[in-house]
């Protein structure tokens, strides 16, 4: 990324732009267009709304945590009519609730269902495939819009197969880049809705983007250096293979939960079907402050854990295990937490790190067992 900025109206840029715009599609598992904004993820949130909806349109959202609250706030400021289903911040959006709410809406006044796939404040992953099935069962035509800011390129996510209409994403998590790029993957149905959507827009306007994108260009100055990084990130994801990337995240998440259980602490997420593979929010026992633990770990080990956001402040700390991350990074992370727990005098059992290492070793042992078989096959072929 530390390279000279090239002319964003010139032929070299056209090649770069085309490469990343095309290369992004498989990451969203879509054949449709993906637009890239030079903005943080919040921009892509706003873009999803202003491109598809009109003032006073009714939308259905689910309180999954801090980030669903923020997306809701944008929608309200844009003058939408909000149906916000309350939640306890320990569960994802309920597919049954989606079905119930939409089946009551017989005149189809709800124009969009908006769900945060992976709620970064809680470590809970909503089941988008099931939500899609709920919408289909009641034959409701609402758009489905999904925030994948902390799940894209880390947790399996299928824009086309799940008929998602707008997927919102950002550069700074599974894409392994600094903050500063955000994305909308767009379905044909969303493009059709865009034609009639009356909310005012300029910077976020898909049509303004899609026209020059056909030649690899952007309507205004793109974040060229981040796009260099994006090209490299796409190469890295391709090299590892998306399925392997998902499996790596699943292994690290499982090892993290194994450590948390061994420490005798609670995982915030209540439903094992909704455990996040990108981060784990851990509850500290009553009467203890998670931020004091975070301060101690930062001071002694120079490791910054995620804080509890808004109503979870002081109650949880969050262990991130996503993006450019490997077994030894996780081992170091968990070691820092375990030492911090001791230094902070927080009641816990020892042995979390050992339990996590055993969990990580399990899959290595399996592949080590398979390796001689592969060698044997190779040498017999040579023979
Ligand atoms: C799930 C989710 N949605 C939206 C956002 C907002 O993105 P940004 O802070 O890049 O504007 C975040 C940020 O962490 C997030 O985790």
């Amino acid at each position: 990324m530390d390279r000279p900025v090239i002319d964003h109206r010139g032929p070299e840029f056209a090649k770069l732009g085309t490469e990343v715009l095309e290369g992004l599609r498989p990451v969203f598992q879509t054949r449709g267009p993906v637009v890239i904004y030079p903005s943080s993820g919040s921009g892509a949130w706003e873009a999803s709304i202003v491109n598809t909806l009109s003032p006073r349109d009714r939308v259905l959202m689910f309180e999954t945590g801090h980030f669903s609250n923020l997306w809701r706030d944008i929608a309200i400021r844009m003058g939408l009519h909000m149906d916000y289903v309350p939640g306890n911040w320990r569960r994802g959006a309920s597919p049954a609730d989606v079905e119930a709410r939409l089946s009551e809406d017989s005149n189809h006044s709800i124009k969009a269902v908006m769900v945060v796939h992976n709620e970064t404040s809680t470590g809970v992953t909503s089941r988008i495939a099931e939500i899609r099935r709920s919408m289909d069962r009641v034959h409701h035509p609402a758009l489905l819009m999904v925030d994948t800011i902390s799940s894209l390129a880390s947790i399996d996510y299928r824009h086309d197969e799940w008929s998602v209409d707008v997927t919102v994403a950002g550069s700074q998590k599974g894409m392994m880049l600094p903050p500063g790029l955000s994305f909308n993957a767009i379905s044909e149905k969303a493009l059709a809705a865009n034609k009639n959507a009356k909310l005012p827009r300029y910077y976020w306007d898909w049509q303004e983007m899609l026209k020059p994108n056909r030649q690899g260009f952007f309507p205004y100055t793109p974040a060229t250096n981040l796009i260099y990084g994006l090209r490299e990130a796409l190469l890295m994801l391709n090299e590892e293979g998306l399925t392997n990337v998902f499996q790596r995240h699943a292994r690290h998440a499982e090892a993290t939960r194994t450590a948390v259980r061994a420490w005798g602490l609670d995982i915030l997420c209540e439903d094992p079907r909704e455990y996040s593979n990108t981060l784990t929010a851990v509850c500290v026992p009553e009467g203890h402050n998670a931020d004091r633990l975070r301060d101690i770990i930062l001071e002694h080990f120079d490791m910054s854990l995620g804080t509890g956001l808004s109503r979870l402040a002081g109650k949880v700390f969050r262990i991130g295990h996503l993006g450019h991350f490997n077994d030894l990074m996780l081992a170091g992370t968990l070691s820092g937490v375990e030492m911090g727990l001791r230094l902070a005098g927080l009641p816990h059992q020892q042995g979390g790190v050992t339990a996590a290492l055993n969990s990580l070793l399990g899959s290595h042992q399996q592949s080590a067992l398979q390796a001689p078989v592969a060698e044997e096959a190779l040498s017999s072929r040579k023979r």
Side-chain angles (χ1 to χ4, degrees):
M1 291 168 58
D2 183 17
R3 294 174 48 205
V5 180
I6 53 173
D7 170 18
H8 62 270
R9 311 270 183 217
E12 196 182 342
F13 191 93
K15 218 169 140 266
L16 171 69
T18 305
E19 190 178 332
V20 295
L21 288 163
E22 287 301 316
L24 270 172
R25 295 180 196 221
V27 179
F28 288 83
Q29 305 196 45
T30 182
R31 289 170 186 278
V34 179
V35 296
I36 306 174
Y37 297 109
S39 82
S40 87
S42 301
W45 261 346
E46 184 161 335
S48 67
I49 293 170
V50 296
N51 275 291
T52 55
L53 298 166
S54 300
R56 291 178 298 285
D57 272 354
R58 190 172 164 206
V59 297
L60 175 63
M61 284 190 79
F62 294 84
E63 181 185 6
T64 49
H66 180 70
F67 291 102
S68 73
N69 277 358
L70 293 182
W71 202 11
R72 169 203 60 186
D73 291 349
I74 299 177
I76 290 172
R77 282 210 205 170
M78 293 293 159
L80 301 182
H81 177 100
M82 173 60 59
D83 288 4
Y84 199 53
V85 182
N88 70 355
W89 291 41
R90 301 189 75 162
R91 287 182 173 259
S94 149
D97 279 354
V98 172
E99 193 162 337
R101 296 271 176 158
L102 292 184
S103 64
E104 283 165 14
D105 180 38
S106 50
N107 61 352
H108 296 166
S109 66
I110 295 173
K111 299 298 175 208
V113 176
M114 296 158 68
V115 183
V116 176
H117 182 211
N118 187 73
E119 178 51 78
T120 322
S121 60
T122 62
V124 176
T125 307
S126 286
R127 290 164 282 148
I128 304 300
E130 286 182 46
I131 289 173
R132 174 78 261 168
R133 283 198 287 276
S134 295
M135 293 177 72
D136 289 348
R137 261 197 299 275
V138 292
H139 305 291
H140 198 288
L143 297 169
L144 175 58
M145 312 223 255
V146 182
D147 168 344
T148 64
I149 288 187
S150 58
S151 58
L152 188 80
S154 321
I155 300 173
D156 192 8
Y157 179 79
R158 307 173 184 199
H159 178 91
D160 283 3
E161 191 180 315
W162 298 342
S163 301
V164 178
D165 295 296
V166 188
T167 299
V168 170
S171 53
Q172 72 268 32
K173 294 198 168 73
M175 296 305 291
M176 307 172 283
L177 291 166
L181 293 180
S182 71
F183 312 101
N184 274 175
I186 309 165
S187 75
E188 277 177 26
K189 190 168 147 191
L191 279 176
N194 178 248
K195 294 211 173 79
N196 302 316
K198 300 279 184 309
L199 279 171
R201 53 189 176 269
Y202 169 77
Y203 191 77
W204 309 115
D205 196 324
W206 289 341
Q207 296 306 330
E208 297 293 330
M209 269 286 180
L210 291 169
K211 267 180 267 165
N213 276 182
R214 284 186 210 114
Q215 274 75 45
F217 293 122
F218 289 80
Y220 38 69
T221 311
T224 304
N225 296 68
L226 284 169
I227 292 178
Y228 293 149
L230 176 59
R231 174 164 59 186
E232 190 60 31
L234 292 170
L235 287 173
M236 287 166 69
L237 290 172
N238 268 334
E239 216 168 73
E240 186 174 355
L242 212 49
T243 311
N244 295 331
V245 172
F246 298 149
Q247 279 169 4
R248 171 166 55 82
H249 283 82
R251 283 179 63 242
H252 289 158
E254 181 54 37
T256 304
R257 291 189 294 267
T258 304
V260 175
R261 289 190 196 104
W263 289 323
L265 299 177
D266 281 340
I267 296 165
L268 181 66
C269 178
E270 276 180 352
D271 184 341
R273 290 174 303 175
E274 297 179 335
Y275 281 152
S276 167
N277 284 346
T278 56
L279 79 137
T280 302
V282 184
C283 305
V284 295
E286 283 284 321
H288 292 267
N289 188 335
D291 284 335
R292 187 172 161 265
L293 170 72
R294 291 177 54 253
D295 288 346
I296 287 173
I297 293 173
L298 181 61
E299 190 187 327
H300 288 265
F301 307 116
D302 197 19
M303 180 172 77
S304 190
L305 292 168
T307 186
L309 291 166
S310 37
R311 77 186 220 192
L312 294 173
K315 297 193 166 75
V316 304
F317 62 92
R318 293 174 297 145
I319 305 173
H321 31 79
L322 83 163
H324 188 250
F325 202 65
N326 65 30
D327 287 11
L328 295 187
M329 290 169 170
L330 181 66
T333 304
L334 297 175
S335 300
V337 176
E338 189 160 314
M339 289 191 285
L341 289 169
R342 281 173 77 171
L343 285 176
L346 222 125
H348 70 287
Q349 283 137 36
Q350 288 181 36
V353 172
T354 307
L357 296 186
N358 286 333
S359 163
L360 289 174
L361 260 179
S363 51
H364 284 286
Q365 280 161 340
Q366 267 172 4
S367 57
L369 280 175
Q370 279 155 10
V373 178
E375 271 167 31
E376 174 73 9
L378 200 70
S379 57
S380 68
R381 231 179 293 146
K382 275 186 198 148
R383 266 186 256 130

